[in-house]
Amino acid sequence: MKNAKYEKFEQTNIFGKGMPNEAFSQYFVGESFLNPLTKQGDTPVFLANVTFEPGCRNNWHIHHASKGGGQILLCVAGEGWYQEEGKPPVSLTPGKVIVIPAEVKHWHGAKADSWFSHIAIEVPGENTSNEWCEPVDSFQYPAEG
């Protein structure tokens, strides 16, 4: 369900918006927010609710790993987009699960007319790292959805 108004979106975002995602802001077009659900170091799996304002998306990026690794997105509120390099964008709505294997270049974020939240799960692996690439430009970003 699209939610252009934050007040309405907030009622459906059950894991909360969190704080501005300042540490990674250079890798996003628009403003995003991060609400960690597990504490790094307390568990081998890090989970966080990532919230995107309308039109916000992260840059193209790759989760590297020599074994295992990657990311899982559990869509929880609003509407968004996910796209792998060379493939068409996929519409994201609450309940949608996206499994992103290691070494796949991709991006994800909100639709232009909706707030969006997903739980990001970092899949444990060996020799993991994240490579941030170029921003998703206006020609790549879907105008409608």
Side-chain angles (χ1 to χ4, degrees):
M1 169 191 275
K2 290 185 182 178
N3 285 307
K5 302 273 187 210
Y6 178 74
E7 295 75 22
K8 185 169 179 152
F9 170 77
E10 183 179 37
Q11 295 172 3
T12 63
N13 190 15
I14 62 174
F15 292 101
K17 180 170 85 169
M19 302 300 294
N21 192 5
E22 294 172 352
F24 292 92
S25 63
Q26 72 262 32
Y27 306 118
F28 285 76
V29 172
E31 192 166 7
S32 67
F33 303 85
L34 187 65
N35 186 18
L37 303 177
T38 60
K39 190 174 178 184
Q40 285 184 315
D42 286 352
T43 177
V45 179
F46 179 68
L47 297 134
N49 189 41
V50 183
T51 298
F52 303 79
E53 71 178 354
C56 177
R57 65 264 191 192
N58 52 31
N59 290 4
W60 288 96
H61 59 287
I62 305 165
H63 303 281
H64 294 292
S66 60
K67 183 177 180 182
Q71 187 178 47
I72 299 171
L73 308 178
L74 304 174
C75 304
V76 295
E79 292 194 19
W81 293 112
Y82 167 77
Q83 185 175 18
E84 292 181 6
E85 187 175 46
K87 295 183 178 179
V90 174
S91 180
L92 302 177
T93 56
K96 182 89 171 170
V97 176
I98 299 290
V99 177
I100 308 163
E103 308 306 328
V104 172
K105 188 174 181 181
H106 66 283
W107 68 269
H108 36 102
K111 290 187 176 178
D113 57 354
S114 182
W115 284 83
F116 175 65
S117 282
H118 64 56
I119 304 296
I121 302 168
E122 294 179 13
V123 177
E126 295 177 9
N127 303 308
T128 60
S129 65
N130 202 33
E131 176 185 355
W132 290 100
C133 305
E134 70 277 6
V136 176
D137 64 35
S138 57
F139 296 108
Q140 298 166 318
Y141 183 74
E144 296 181 2

